[in-house]
Amino acid sequence: MAVRNIREMGDEVLNKTCKEVKEITPRIQELIEDMLETMYEANGVGLAAPQVGVLKRIVVIDVTGEDPLVLINPKILETSGEQTGNEGCLSVPGKTGIVTRPNYVKIQAYNEKMELFELEGMELLARAIFHELDHLDGKLYVELVEGELEDLEIPEDEV
Ligand code: NI
């Protein structure tokens, strides 16, 4: 396992659409392990493959610090409600902004064994899912910020 370099806003890899994963290869397994290690090392709650320069539809999320989720080829099935709050991104270091997202999401995704599963998330988990899935389509949260992007005083909850 290795910590990978996190790409930052301005790097065009962050604006591209990622490709679906067809099968789990040793390289993909290594990528997933490295993404988890990179996310924890950076104190993030989520990381998408393009943030480490790989254009594949893979996301890792852990909003509690002890519940790692691996989402491969994730798809949104259902959303509802609304939440407005601060968001950050490991690819936009030191910044935060207010973003409104649905408060609930139901998704389907494959896990690291390519088994299909469904997952429901609310509040921070839902926010992290929307944020990371946007990365897979080349979108950064800064496009959604209401008002101005602000300087982050205490880095936390960066996804
Ligand atoms: Ni992000």
Side-chain angles (χ1 to χ4, degrees), residues 46 51 88-91 131-132 135 140-141 159:
Q51 292 182 276
C89 179
L90 294 173
S91 294
H131 179 113
E132 299 309 332
H135 273 298
L140 296 178
Y141 85 99
V159 288

Side-chain angles (χ1 to χ4, degrees), residues 6-123:
I6 297 177
R7 306 298 184 93
E8 295 185 1
M9 189 165 64
D11 188 323
E12 64 180 26
V13 78
L14 294 172
N15 303 120
K16 297 194 185 294
T17 301
C18 297
K19 294 207 166 73
E20 293 218 331
V21 174
K22 300 263 194 286
E23 59 172 341
I24 301 296
T25 62
R27 274 186 76 167
I28 299 272
Q29 280 172 332
E30 192 183 347
L31 170 65
I32 291 167
E33 286 175 11
D34 288 356
M35 283 174 62
L36 284 165
E37 194 174 340
T38 303
M39 173 181 74
Y40 289 126
E41 205 265 344
N43 292 316
V45 301
L47 189 73
Q51 292 182 276
V52 293
V54 180
L55 291 171
K56 293 194 183 299
R57 303 188 81 80
I58 303 174
V59 157
V60 295
I61 291 174
D62 191 344
V63 294
T64 65
E66 48 198 32
D67 187 21
L69 282 168
V70 177
L71 309 178
I72 298 173
N73 302 339
K75 284 193 175 60
I76 292 171
L77 301 177
E78 221 178 293
T79 68
S80 70
E82 198 176 277
Q83 58 173 320
T84 299
N86 276 289
E87 208 159 305
C89 179
L90 294 173
S91 294
V92 191
K95 300 285 179 186
T96 185
I98 304 272
V99 178
T100 297
R101 305 270 193 188
N103 197 46
Y104 165 87
V105 66
K106 182 177 180 184
I107 61 163
Q108 67 164 45
Y110 293 87
N111 65 16
E112 62 274 29
K113 296 172 188 153
M114 271 320 239
E115 298 161 341
L116 190 63
F117 68 101
E118 288 187 1
L119 174 74
E120 291 177 296
M122 292 189 71
E123 297 165 0

